[in-house]
Amino acid sequence: MKLTIIFSILIAGVCLTAQACTDNLEIKNPWIVAVPPNAKATAAFMTITNKGEEKLEIVGGSCEVAGKVEPMIATKDGDMAGMKTVPALVVPPGGELVLKPGGDHIMLMELSRVPKDGETLKLTLKLNTGCELTIDVPVLKQAPK
Amino acid sequence: MKNLALCAGLALALAGCGGKEPAFFGKQLWPTKSAYNFKLTDQNGQPLSLAQFQGKVVLFAFGFTNCPSYCPATLSHFTAIRKALPESLRDQVQFLFISLDPERDTPASLKQFVSFYDPGFLAATGSESDLKMAATAYYASYRKVKGETNEDYLIDHSTQAYLINPAGRWELYYSFDKLAEAESVAGDIVQVLKAQ
């Protein structure tokens, strides 16, 4: 009985800490791009708002269908567009980071299976603070309206 | 009487300035340019040339099927544009995806890629030199970017879409962002079809 109470307190403590450290983070309109059955990668987009006074950095993540989840930025050289992996995507204090097609994004690579159009996947974002935030993300062909 | 003369003058001036050049949502080539007749191989392994679509509007873009961001979005925009067109005009428009990655994009993978978006869309690729000529003709650029392994590369590329009118002339082009405005692009296509 004593052990159960101690265990419950510990679990509650962990949950509260996890929640508290992502409290300043707000995610809007997340979606993962529905891609053809032969795709090797896809991308996740969303708007991330940082309501806190410290900058937050998305340093990586995990997803049930991807072996690797990496922050990526869009690059431009003349009219040539590309992308490259970066150590982190920064959400400025009091500001927001918009991830959208043709722009910065969270890349889902080494797919164990191709996400199906219409399904919902759990995506975990890892922050520079060590905190993690898991969100439900719909798989869509186009951005949610 | 004086007002009537003023109105007539204004009408003449407007006709002179803007009568010939219709206003489009996309960037217009004025005068239009004879469209380079690329010769490639489609997703069924059949020869494909731009000239075979004479009489139709062709909307095409360059990319590659392993492209995780721009290309799926471009194809989704094509789907939305097709849906935004009046049903009676849909068969008069050919959507085409040109792969700049002949090494990995076999006809089978091109087929899987485009048919995911619309069974009527076409995809094609060709030899390095054919692709180079096609890209150059439309002022597009691209280059391979090394990945962790030899097979793991990406391709940086121009992300515009190009509209060829039914007479085989390059009339409009769209930036990646503009292509997302399906209703407006569809409006341009209707206008181009009506002008023929």
Side-chain angles (χ1 to χ4, degrees):
Chain A
M1 179 66 179
K2 222 176 191 179
L3 203 67
T4 314
I5 293 170
I6 292 170
F7 186 68
S8 302
I9 291 169
L10 275 174
I11 294 287
V14 169
C15 290
L16 277 175
T17 316
Q19 196 191 350
C21 76
T22 54
D23 264 359
N24 288 330
L25 212 58
E26 195 177 274
I27 310 277
K28 275 192 216 141
N29 298 326
W31 64 293
I32 288 171
V33 186
V35 284
N38 54 335
K40 293 189 174 61
T42 184
F45 302 112
M46 63 198 75
T47 299
I48 307 171
T49 305
N50 177 2
K51 293 183 283 182
E53 287 168 3
E54 303 279 323
K55 73 170 180 182
L56 285 171
E57 294 179 7
I58 312 292
V59 295
S62 59
C63 181
E64 56 194 282
V65 298
K68 223 160 50 169
V69 175
E70 289 186 348
M72 280 208 160
I73 56 162
T75 59
K76 205 85 173 149
D77 179 7
D79 80 328
M80 245 189 312
M83 60 185 76
K84 70 171 183 188
T85 305
V86 286
L89 290 169
V90 179
V91 196
E96 63 176 29
L97 173 70
V98 180
L99 307 180
K100 59 173 189 173
D104 302 344
H105 57 276
I106 309 280
M107 181 92 143
L108 278 61
M109 291 177 281
E110 297 174 6
L111 298 177
S112 56
R113 69 171 178 84
V114 174
K116 281 191 204 107
D117 188 12
E119 77 170 312
T120 299
L121 295 173
K122 293 221 178 286
L123 174 69
T124 300
L125 301 176
K126 288 183 185 159
L127 304 181
N128 56 322
T129 53
C131 290
E132 291 187 355
L133 177 66
T134 300
I135 49 170
D136 288 327
V137 188
V139 178
L140 304 167
K141 275 187 177 171
Q142 287 215 296
K145 296 223 164 132
Chain B
M1 189 62 189
K2 201 176 173 183
N3 274 349
L4 196 67
L6 200 68
C7 283
L10 192 63
L12 275 174
L14 279 176
C17 294
K20 261 204 139 183
E21 194 174 344
F24 286 108
F25 172 70
K27 281 253 185 202
Q28 191 176 14
L29 270 82
W30 193 262
T32 58
K33 193 175 184 291
S34 175
Y36 173 72
N37 181 26
F38 43 74
K39 290 175 182 144
L40 305 166
T41 303
D42 74 10
Q43 77 264 36
N44 300 310
Q46 298 302 309
L48 176 147
S49 68
L50 180 64
Q52 77 190 62
F53 304 112
Q54 193 95 2
K56 285 186 175 187
V57 161
V58 178
L59 188 65
F60 77 91
F62 294 103
F64 62 111
T65 69
N66 280 305
C67 158
S69 178
Y70 286 99
C71 310
T74 297
L75 270 291
S76 286
H77 295 333
F78 279 2
T79 310
I81 294 162
R82 188 173 187 278
K83 276 188 191 149
L85 284 167
E87 226 173 314
S88 58
L89 296 181
R90 286 180 191 163
D91 286 347
Q92 292 178 53
V93 185
Q94 182 60 60
F95 293 86
L96 171 66
F97 177 76
I98 299 180
S99 167
L100 299 165
D101 189 10
E103 213 175 302
R104 293 181 297 189
D105 285 341
T106 59
S109 65
L110 288 176
K111 195 172 196 166
Q112 271 196 310
F113 185 74
V114 279
S115 57
F116 178 72
Y117 297 97
D118 190 290
F121 288 178
L122 289 174
T125 191
S127 66
E128 290 287 352
S129 62
D130 286 343
L131 290 169
K132 195 104 220 146
M133 282 199 288
T136 307
Y138 293 96
Y139 310 112
S141 24
Y142 63 102
R143 67 164 170 236
K144 217 186 237 191
V145 180
K146 267 185 121 180
E148 282 173 16
T149 65
N150 279 347
E151 299 81 40
D152 200 22
Y153 58 88
L154 291 171
I155 296 175
D156 287 356
H157 60 92
S158 303
T159 53
Q160 291 92 341
Y162 310 84
L163 188 147
I164 312 301
N165 73 21
R169 298 193 66 81
W170 177 14
E171 186 151 354
L172 296 163
Y173 64 98
Y174 298 90
S175 66
F176 176 76
D177 289 335
K178 278 202 157 189
L179 201 65
E181 307 287 328
E183 298 283 342
S184 303
V185 179
D188 279 359
I189 294 174
V190 170
Q191 208 177 326
V192 168
L193 283 168
K194 278 186 180 163
Q196 297 303 307

